[in-house]
Amino acid sequence: MDLHYIWSFLMIVIIDIVLGGDNAIVIALACRKLPYKQRNIAIIFGSITAIVLRIILTIGAIFVLKVPFLHLIGGILLLYIACKLIIQEDDNPSIKENYTVFHAIRTIVFADLVMGIDNVLAIAGASNGKPSLVILGLSISIPIIIWGSKIVLWFLERYPILSFVGASVLSITASKMLIDEPFISQYINGRNDMELIVGSSCIIFTIVIGYYFNNIRYRKRTS
């Protein structure tokens, strides 16, 4: 194993850790609605499934790059996910029971696929066309993401208001995806003020939507 291979491998691991913070937040937000005993199952299986799918996408990154409006669609979907994750569940037990491990895993995997575009492109570039590097590097990141999500979940349980902070982080990621869309970037043209406006708008949109629907559910419970 040459030094270049080792260096590329380390680069993939670092890239995935740096860009994987959002994944830990999504996992924690999706799993906080589950009973305590089911959370570990959802975290582990959701993380592994998401990483496996990301490996497949990274290896086929050359095809992903050809999809038109990929970043635009991904940004919109991620905003939807961010809003959905901070809207509180109804206190009705029958409704709570409908949220299962499968639902949590589905949310984790879907969000990871949407957010994983940047990871896919960065890791594909660092791998130098070697699928073995992609598989090895992303596989090692699994325990890091799992433990990271557990730490975030620990804070969310004690400080529920942090769910809005987590959603804001996802909104910033969504804004970056929107800005990276060639159709939009040609108008922004690297202007920091425009990037700030787009990012702020995404955060405000997510928080307002989350607050609005949470307020409606609160009124229903108290009426």
Side-chain angles (χ1 to χ4, degrees), residues 58-75:
T58 305
I59 293 175
I62 187 172
F63 300 105
V64 175
L65 284 169
K66 295 181 180 179
V67 178
F69 300 108
L70 181 64
H71 285 85
L72 177 63
I73 296 172

Side-chain angles (χ1 to χ4, degrees), residues 44 50 67 87 92 100-101 108 130 179 212:
I44 292 172
V67 178
I87 296 175
N92 190 323
T100 63
V101 172
I108 293 168
K130 297 178 180 177
I179 291 170
Y212 174 75

Side-chain angles (χ1 to χ4, degrees), residues 119-211:
N119 302 55
V120 165
L121 301 183
I123 293 171
S127 68
N128 297 311
K130 297 178 180 177
S132 60
L133 274 174
V134 174
I135 296 172
L136 186 59
L138 289 176
S139 297
I140 288 180
S141 69
I142 291 175
I144 297 173
I145 293 176
I146 289 175
W147 283 107
S149 62
K150 287 186 176 183
I151 293 173
V152 175
L153 185 57
W154 185 88
F155 280 102
L156 284 174
E157 284 184 319
R158 287 153 181 79
Y159 310 101
I161 192 66
L162 290 179
S163 62
F164 283 88
V165 177
S168 297
V169 173
L170 299 184
S171 300
I172 293 173
T173 303
S175 71
K176 290 179 180 178
M177 295 177 69
L178 293 174
I179 291 170
D180 286 340
E181 174 59 46
F183 177 75
I184 297 176
S185 63
Q186 63 179 325
Y187 297 104
I188 294 178
N189 198 25
R191 291 178 54 186
N192 293 331
D193 57 335
M194 290 301 296
E195 292 181 2
L196 181 61
I197 290 174
V198 174
S200 301
S201 300
C202 288
I203 293 174
I204 293 171
F205 173 81
T206 301
I207 292 177
V208 168
I209 292 296
Y211 177 81

Side-chain angles (χ1 to χ4, degrees), residues 19-37:
L19 298 178
D22 297 339
N23 301 78
I25 293 173
V26 166
I27 293 171
L29 288 172
C31 293
R32 86 186 197 281
K33 301 176 184 179
L34 289 171
Y36 183 78
K37 293 182 179 179

Side-chain angles (χ1 to χ4, degrees), residues 12-20 54 119 123 138 141 145:
I12 290 175
V13 174
I14 292 171
I15 288 170
D16 202 57
I17 292 174
V18 172
L19 298 178
R54 187 180 296 183
N119 302 55
I123 293 171
L138 289 176
S141 69
I145 293 176

